[in-house]
């Protein structure tokens, strides 16, 4: 009787529910069965193209916004982007994870096996020393937990045996797993071409409302979980989504599209043009200088003072301290400083004045030694060259300062020359040099440090004067030609700035766009 | 060693010991004695470096040599562990990676017929590094010039493009500023004249300074023409603009240095002497 009653009640509820669902006049149920807002309009003109100016492994999607983007009850809040994945991608992922796990296990065994063997030996030694196994040993990393020594010994022996037995097995597994992964990766291109068989759509990202593009990028590394295959047919979908995630537009599909790398980065065309321009200037002026054309370079007071300073050091019988700064040998200011060091060392060799060059970087020291050695050779005084006069101090900024300050006060150089890259140590060095009574000449292109040199040195080469100095000192055609080329490049900048100002005032954006470098 | 020097040395040692004892008494816990020693040593070394302001002395020399020695050794170890073990080993050998317990990150290109491992590329820096060390062999020292030439030449070439892009082209386009901002005639300009930071007058003035600064600064660094006449005048204006910029930079950086000094004084009076909380 009870069961019959239940059955009747269930039947009644079912009939009432069906009738209510079919009724147009049931507002509460209508809200459950149908979405509260209509779906938004889909995006239009969806296009997928290989991303420009990259090394491949990226696709850019562009579209025109949904007409419901930004207004209305069904306003679009984002665009969901989907990509079609062949199931083979999961196989690749799984194989990749297996291989990584095997490698990790082999590595762990290689590290843990000797540790376990050592632990076993130590435990056996302890037991032999105490002549008993009736004691307990603490378990590392588990405070308060101890084991009987017999149990610990047997467990360690078992672990060692397990690792010894299984390590070769695991190692032998690596190569087949690598091959299996390589084969699966090879199958990926065919798997992508089989669209829409054996695959599924997966969401890969979201673009906020108002966006009209999305870039899908990945890694070129085949062993990475983020691997993005080049030269494979890829398919994408974009859906406009409202505030209710269930209410979304019809999906718009695009594809196939393939990603690939480019040989030329078109965004850097202005750079190429200016490199060519600079090259033409340099070659032209170097040729002119070689032919003996008189190329004027205005006097630089800081550089003219170098000869006087060397002469002063010679008369006083004191050394010259030359600092190349804390830059590495690959930085432009350090390279310029090498050139000046060459000139200074040549004069020093001629005057037979000692020179001290403490270096901050080992490579800089090696180059500086070669430069000074060559200069002594050029001056015909190679016997006077002492390799120990150019030495490495330390690679730590303030320790270097402490050491150089000590040299300044102990050796009392007549002249300190600072050329190259200097940072916070500039004032510490220059002030100590002033205390020691040395003539000081500095040159750097570090904008923040120039003020400190200006206030504490007798002569300062500001910025590009550092680069001009080497050409001015040597007057070699190559250096003089490049200095002239720099001047012409500055003239081009001035003309461009004037033209840019006029173009901006007249509202011609094309001129400014030419100077936009991307990437 | 003079008697005065011995007296000063004894006094310093006594002060050091007393400071150690007092600090150890003030600290609590198992590491009280060790912490007290470290704080006292740090304070002693700080004062030893500060003593340079008086003149060069043995305490400064001690701190200097300790600093130089420790830092040189530290950077050598860092060079080994971060460059050789951290960067090179994981790329050339799996077994060496395991030995040094660093994750192996080898890779390669599969050409179908053969597999080219990236590890062969890393033989180049190894060979260049060995060549660089050849300068230790007097007869083969000249070989070390090859890696030096490679390093300097490669980076000079790379930097040419980088600097041309960042310091040349981008700087040119940044100087394209209109001298007339929101211009609707003189009447509009004078009627709305104000010194507000976002006003028309200030915007035009700052653009004028940018434009003149660029042109006159470049003229100052123009070496091919004598700085006389109008060219000399523009050059002088350029150096004035540079000096004003340097002055502002000087003041800003000095403030940073003062904060460093405050940090050391806080250590001395707080952590060491305990005078300030």
């Amino acid at each position: 009787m009870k069961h019959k009653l239940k059955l009747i009640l269930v039947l009644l509820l079912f009939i009432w529910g069906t009738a209510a669902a079919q009724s147009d006049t049931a507002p509460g149920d209508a809200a459950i069965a149908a979405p509260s807002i209509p779906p938004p309009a889909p995006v239009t003109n969806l296009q997928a193209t290989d991303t420009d100016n990259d090394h491949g492994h990226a696709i850019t999607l562009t579209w025109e916004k949904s007409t419901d983007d930004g207004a209305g009850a069904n306003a679009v809040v984002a665009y969901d982007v989907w990509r079609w994945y062949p199931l083979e991608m999961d196989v690749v992922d799984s194989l990749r994870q297996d291989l990584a796990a095997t490698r990790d296990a082999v590595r762990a065994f290689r590290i843990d096996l000797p540790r376990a063997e050592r632990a076993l030996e130590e435990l056996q030694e302890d037991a032999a020393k105490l002549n008993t196994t009736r004691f307990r040993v603490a378990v590392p990393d588990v405070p308060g937990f101890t084991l009987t020594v017999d149990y610990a010994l047997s467990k360690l022996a078992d672990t060692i045996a397990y690792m010894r037995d299984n390590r070769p097995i695991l190692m032998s597994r690596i190569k087949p797993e690598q091959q299996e992964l390589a084969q699966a990766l090879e199958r990926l291109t065919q798997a992508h071409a089989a669209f829409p068989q054996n695959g599924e759509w997966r969401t890969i990202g979201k673009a906020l409302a108002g966006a009209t593009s999305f870039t899908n990028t990945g890694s070129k590394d085949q062993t990475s979980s983020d691997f993005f295959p080049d030269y494979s047919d890829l398919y994408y979908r974009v859906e406009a989504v409202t505030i209710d995630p269930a209410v979304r537009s019809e999906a718009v599909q695009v594809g196939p599209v393939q990603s690939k790398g480019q040989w030329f980065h078109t965004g850097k065309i202005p750079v190429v043009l200016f490199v060519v321009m600079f090259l033409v200037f340099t070659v032209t002026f170097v040729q002119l200088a070689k032919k003996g054309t008189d190329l004027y370079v205005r006097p630089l007071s800081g550089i003219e003072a170098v000869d006087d300073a060397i002469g002063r050091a010679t008369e006083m019988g004191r050394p010259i301290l030359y600092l190349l700064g804390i830059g590495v040998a690959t930085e432009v200011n350090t390279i310029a400083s090498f050139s000046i060091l060459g000139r200074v060392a040549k004069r020093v060799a001629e005057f037979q004045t000692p020179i001290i060059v403490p270096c901050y970087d080992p490579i800089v020291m090696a180059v500086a030694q070669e430069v000074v050695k060559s200069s002594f050779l050029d001056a015909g005084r190679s016997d006077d060259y002492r390799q120990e006069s150019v030495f490495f101090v330390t690679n730590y900024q303030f320790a270097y300062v402490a050491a150089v300050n000590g040299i300044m006060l102990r050796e009392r150089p007549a002249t300190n020359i600072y050329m190259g890259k200097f940072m916070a140590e500039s004032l510490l060095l220059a002030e100590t040099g002033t205390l020691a009574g040395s003539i000081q000449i500095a040159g750097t292109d570090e904008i923040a440090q120039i003020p400190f040199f200006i206030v504490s040195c007798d002569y300062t080469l500001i910025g590009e004067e550092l680069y001009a100095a080497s050409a001015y000192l040597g007057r070699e055609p190559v250096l003089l030609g490049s200095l002239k080329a720099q001047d012409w490049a500055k003239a081009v900048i001035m003309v461009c700035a004037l033209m840019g100002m006029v173009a901006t005032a007249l509202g011609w954006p094309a001129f400014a766009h030419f100077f936009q470098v991307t990437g | 060693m003079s008697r005065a020097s011995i007296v000063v040395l004894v006094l310093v040692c006594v002060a050091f010991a007393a400071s150690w004892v007092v600090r150890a008494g003030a600290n609590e816990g198992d590491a009280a004695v060790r912490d007290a020693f470290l704080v006292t040593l740090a304070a002693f070394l700080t004062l030893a470096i500060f003593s340079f302001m008086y003149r060069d002395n043995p305490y400064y020399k001690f701190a200097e040599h300790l600093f130089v020695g420790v830092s040189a050794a530290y950077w050598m170890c860092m060079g080994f562990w971060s460059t050789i073990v951290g960067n090179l080993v994981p790329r050339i050998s799996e077994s060496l990676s395991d030995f040094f317990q660093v994750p192996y990150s080898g890779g390669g290109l599969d050409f179908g017929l053969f597999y080219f491992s990236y590890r062969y590329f890393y033989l180049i820096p190894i060979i260049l590094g060995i060549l660089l060390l050849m300068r230790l062999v007097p007869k083969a020292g000249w070989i070390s010039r090859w890696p030096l030439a490679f390093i300097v030449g490669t980076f000079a070439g790379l930097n040419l493009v980088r600097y041309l892009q960042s310091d040349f082209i981008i700087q040119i386009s940044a100087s394209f500023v209109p001298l007339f901002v929101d211009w609707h005639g003189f009447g509009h300009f004078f009627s709305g004249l104000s010194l507000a930071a976002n006003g028309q007058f200030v915007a035009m003035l700052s653009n004028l300074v940018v434009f003149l600064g660029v042109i006159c600064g470049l003229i100052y660094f123009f070496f091919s023409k004598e700085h006389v006449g109008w060219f000399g005048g523009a050059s002088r204006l350029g150096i004035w603009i540079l000096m004003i910029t340097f002055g502002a930079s000087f003041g800003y950086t000095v403030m940073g240095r003062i904060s460093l000094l405050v940090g050391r004084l806080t250590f001395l009076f707080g952590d060491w002497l305990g005078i300030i909380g």
Side-chain angles (χ1 to χ4, degrees):
Chain A
M1 181 63 195
K2 214 173 176 181
H3 289 290
K4 274 186 183 176
L5 195 63
K6 270 188 181 173
L7 187 66
I8 291 164
L9 271 172
V10 168
L11 278 171
L12 279 173
L13 276 170
F14 176 71
I15 292 162
W16 178 80
T18 314
Q22 288 170 350
S23 164
D24 289 333
T25 54
D29 292 330
I32 296 164
S36 57
I37 46 176
V43 298
T44 52
N45 201 17
L46 175 65
Q47 291 184 340
T49 49
D50 174 37
T51 306
D52 266 345
N53 300 324
D54 67 353
H55 64 287
H57 312 281
I59 293 289
T60 300
L61 301 174
T62 55
W63 59 82
E64 283 172 20
K65 286 189 290 186
S66 158
T67 49
D68 292 316
D69 189 330
N74 59 345
V76 173
V77 293
Y79 296 98
D80 265 359
V81 183
W82 301 69
R83 194 174 111 197
W84 186 78
Y85 276 81
L87 295 178
E88 194 67 33
M89 285 289 265
D90 292 340
V91 176
V92 168
D93 263 350
S94 161
L95 289 170
R96 191 183 286 129
Q97 283 166 17
D98 287 350
L99 180 62
T102 310
R103 278 190 169 143
D104 285 348
V106 169
R107 192 170 296 127
F109 276 21
R110 192 173 286 178
I111 294 164
D112 289 343
L113 183 59
R115 283 168 62 185
E117 285 170 341
R118 267 201 307 277
L120 183 68
E121 277 174 25
E122 283 169 13
L123 216 52
Q124 283 169 339
E125 280 172 16
D126 288 348
K129 270 184 205 163
L130 296 169
N131 202 21
T132 177
T133 55
R134 287 176 175 277
F135 63 93
R136 296 177 76 86
V137 287
V139 177
D141 305 327
V142 189
F145 193 74
T146 58
L147 297 170
T148 63
V149 75
D150 284 331
Y151 183 75
L153 281 169
S154 71
K155 271 286 158 202
L156 271 171
D158 288 351
T159 309
I160 289 165
Y162 175 79
M163 286 199 268
R164 279 181 183 157
D165 292 345
N166 283 279
R167 196 164 154 260
I169 299 169
L170 281 171
M171 284 180 78
S172 66
R173 240 196 256 167
I174 289 179
K175 196 142 195 176
E177 281 182 0
Q178 274 176 333
Q179 284 169 347
E180 213 175 332
L181 176 61
Q183 286 162 2
L185 283 163
E186 272 176 23
R187 289 195 301 269
L188 264 186
T189 309
Q190 286 83 31
H192 275 101
F195 174 83
Q197 273 89 43
N198 299 325
E200 63 183 18
W201 290 98
R202 288 179 193 169
T203 180
I204 54 165
K206 206 178 265 292
L208 291 177
T212 55
S213 67
F214 179 87
T215 303
N216 178 208
T217 57
S219 169
K220 65 176 178 180
D221 183 3
Q222 292 189 331
T223 59
S224 161
S225 59
D226 190 29
F227 172 60
F228 189 106
D230 268 354
Y231 302 105
S232 295
D233 291 340
L234 304 173
Y235 295 84
Y236 290 90
R237 265 183 185 174
V238 176
E239 289 176 358
V241 187
T242 61
I243 191 123
D244 180 354
V247 180
R248 47 184 60 217
S249 73
E250 180 191 329
V252 181
Q253 186 180 309
V254 67
V257 61
Q258 294 189 345
S259 67
K260 59 179 185 295
Q262 278 78 44
W263 281 96
F264 296 101
H265 193 311
T266 51
K268 289 185 186 285
I269 284 176
V271 179
V272 177
L273 291 178
F274 278 104
V275 166
V276 171
M277 180 197 79
F278 197 69
L279 191 71
V280 169
F281 285 160
T282 308
V283 171
T284 308
F285 283 109
V286 168
Q287 289 303 322
L288 282 174
K290 278 183 178 172
K291 282 178 187 167
T293 311
D294 183 30
L295 298 175
Y296 174 78
V297 177
R298 76 173 167 85
L300 297 166
S301 55
I303 285 306
E304 295 203 321
V306 168
D307 279 347
D308 297 340
I310 296 171
R312 179 179 185 257
T314 311
E315 283 170 13
M316 293 172 81
R318 286 200 206 154
I320 287 172
L321 182 70
Y322 190 101
L323 301 182
L324 290 138
I326 60 164
V328 292
T330 54
E331 287 177 82
V332 181
N333 37 28
T334 311
I335 294 170
S337 185
F338 286 138
S339 184
I340 298 168
L341 173 64
R343 311 291 155 211
V344 171
K346 196 174 173 187
R347 298 283 166 87
V348 159
E350 285 163 0
F351 293 162
Q352 291 180 288
T353 309
I355 185 169
I356 305 170
V357 189
C359 298
Y360 172 82
D361 181 83
I363 304 278
V364 168
M365 180 206 70
V367 179
Q369 280 180 346
E370 289 297 326
V371 168
V372 175
K373 193 176 175 182
S374 303
S375 299
F376 272 71
L377 203 66
D378 290 347
R381 296 198 178 273
S382 56
D383 291 344
D384 290 346
Y385 170 67
R386 296 277 172 273
Q387 186 161 316
E388 59 273 17
S389 62
V390 185
F391 55 93
F392 171 69
V393 179
T394 175
N395 223 198
Y396 191 79
Q397 186 185 17
F398 290 107
Y400 176 74
V401 175
V404 174
N405 281 353
I407 291 168
M408 282 180 186
L409 289 191
R410 279 159 228 151
E411 302 292 332
R412 296 265 165 192
T415 304
N416 297 334
I417 301 176
Y418 312 95
M419 297 281 171
K421 179 182 179 174
F422 290 88
M423 301 302 282
E425 72 285 352
S426 59
L427 189 60
L428 297 172
L429 294 170
E431 270 302 303
T432 311
T434 307
L435 280 177
S438 313
I439 288 266
Q440 302 200 98
I441 302 166
T444 185
D445 58 356
E446 290 296 329
I447 305 291
Q449 305 308 321
I450 293 171
F452 295 112
F453 280 139
I454 288 174
V455 297
S456 55
C457 291
D458 300 282
Y459 298 96
T460 305
L461 299 177
I462 301 168
E464 208 191 331
E465 288 178 337
L466 173 68
Y467 307 125
S470 54
Y472 186 78
L473 275 171
R475 302 199 71 85
E476 281 178 12
V478 174
L479 294 175
L480 216 50
S482 64
L483 181 65
K484 283 283 168 184
Q486 285 174 41
D487 273 358
W488 274 73
K490 278 174 231 156
V492 169
I493 295 177
M494 283 189 258
V495 171
C496 287
L498 272 169
M499 288 169 69
M501 186 195 71
V502 172
T504 312
L506 296 176
W508 295 337
F511 187 77
H513 284 167
F514 174 74
F515 291 89
Q516 299 299 319
V517 181
T518 57
Chain B
M1 208 175 192
S2 68
R3 181 179 287 180
S5 303
I6 294 169
V7 170
V8 172
L9 181 63
V10 169
L11 281 175
V12 168
C13 289
V14 169
F16 187 94
S19 161
W20 188 2
V21 170
V22 171
R23 288 305 314 165
N27 289 350
E28 288 175 6
D30 298 338
V33 177
R34 190 198 64 191
D35 289 349
F37 174 76
L38 292 177
V39 168
T40 308
L41 182 67
F44 167 74
L45 291 174
T46 303
L47 292 174
I49 291 287
F50 278 169
S51 72
F52 184 75
M53 286 187 283
Y54 167 58
R55 67 176 190 191
D56 192 24
N57 60 75
Y59 302 99
Y60 175 76
K61 278 182 193 166
F62 171 75
E64 174 203 324
H65 288 92
L66 185 72
F67 197 12
V68 170
V70 167
S71 65
Y74 173 76
W75 283 107
M76 189 191 155
C77 291
M78 282 292 288
F80 178 77
W81 287 103
S82 65
T83 307
I84 295 177
V85 175
N87 278 323
L88 186 62
V89 165
R91 289 175 172 86
I92 56 165
S93 164
E94 192 166 6
S95 54
L96 268 177
S97 303
D98 288 345
F99 178 76
F100 285 110
Q101 299 186 18
V102 287
Y104 177 66
S105 59
L109 286 173
D110 197 349
F111 290 103
L113 288 174
F114 65 96
Y115 179 80
F116 181 80
S117 172
Y118 290 143
R119 72 174 70 179
Y120 300 117
F121 283 120
Y122 298 100
L123 292 176
I124 297 170
I126 294 174
I127 293 166
L128 289 175
I130 292 167
L131 291 182
L132 205 55
L133 289 174
M134 292 305 283
R135 62 187 305 107
L136 298 173
V137 184
K139 283 189 178 174
W142 60 272
I143 300 177
S144 67
R145 289 180 192 170
W146 284 86
L148 288 179
F150 177 81
I151 293 165
V152 175
T154 305
F155 279 92
L158 286 173
N159 283 339
L160 171 73
V161 176
R162 193 161 63 88
Y163 284 128
L164 200 74
Q165 183 173 329
S166 63
D167 293 0
F168 194 89
I169 298 171
I170 293 174
Q171 298 290 331
I172 292 175
S173 65
S175 67
F176 294 168
V177 287
L179 291 186
F180 297 96
V181 180
D182 193 23
W183 188 254
H184 298 290
F186 284 103
H188 175 265
F189 175 73
F190 284 113
S191 62
L193 193 65
S194 85
L195 291 175
N198 56 354
Q200 186 190 15
F201 174 71
V202 173
M204 283 170 62
L205 187 68
S206 62
N207 284 358
L208 183 69
V209 170
V210 168
F211 181 72
L212 281 180
V214 169
I215 298 293
C216 296
L218 283 170
I219 287 175
Y220 173 75
F221 287 110
F222 203 82
F223 303 107
S224 300
K225 187 172 164 49
E226 207 172 345
H227 288 183
V228 289
W230 71 268
F231 202 74
S235 168
R236 271 192 295 283
L237 181 60
I239 196 70
W240 268 96
I241 289 170
L242 287 175
M243 287 303 159
I244 291 167
T245 311
F246 292 150
S249 170
F250 184 86
Y252 180 77
T253 315
V254 164
M255 291 306 291
R257 302 294 168 82
I258 296 289
S259 74
L260 289 177
L261 176 67
V262 169
R264 286 328 291 164
L265 293 179
T266 306
F267 167 76
L268 288 177
F269 290 104
D271 296 1
W272 183 44
L273 295 176
I275 295 170
I276 53 174

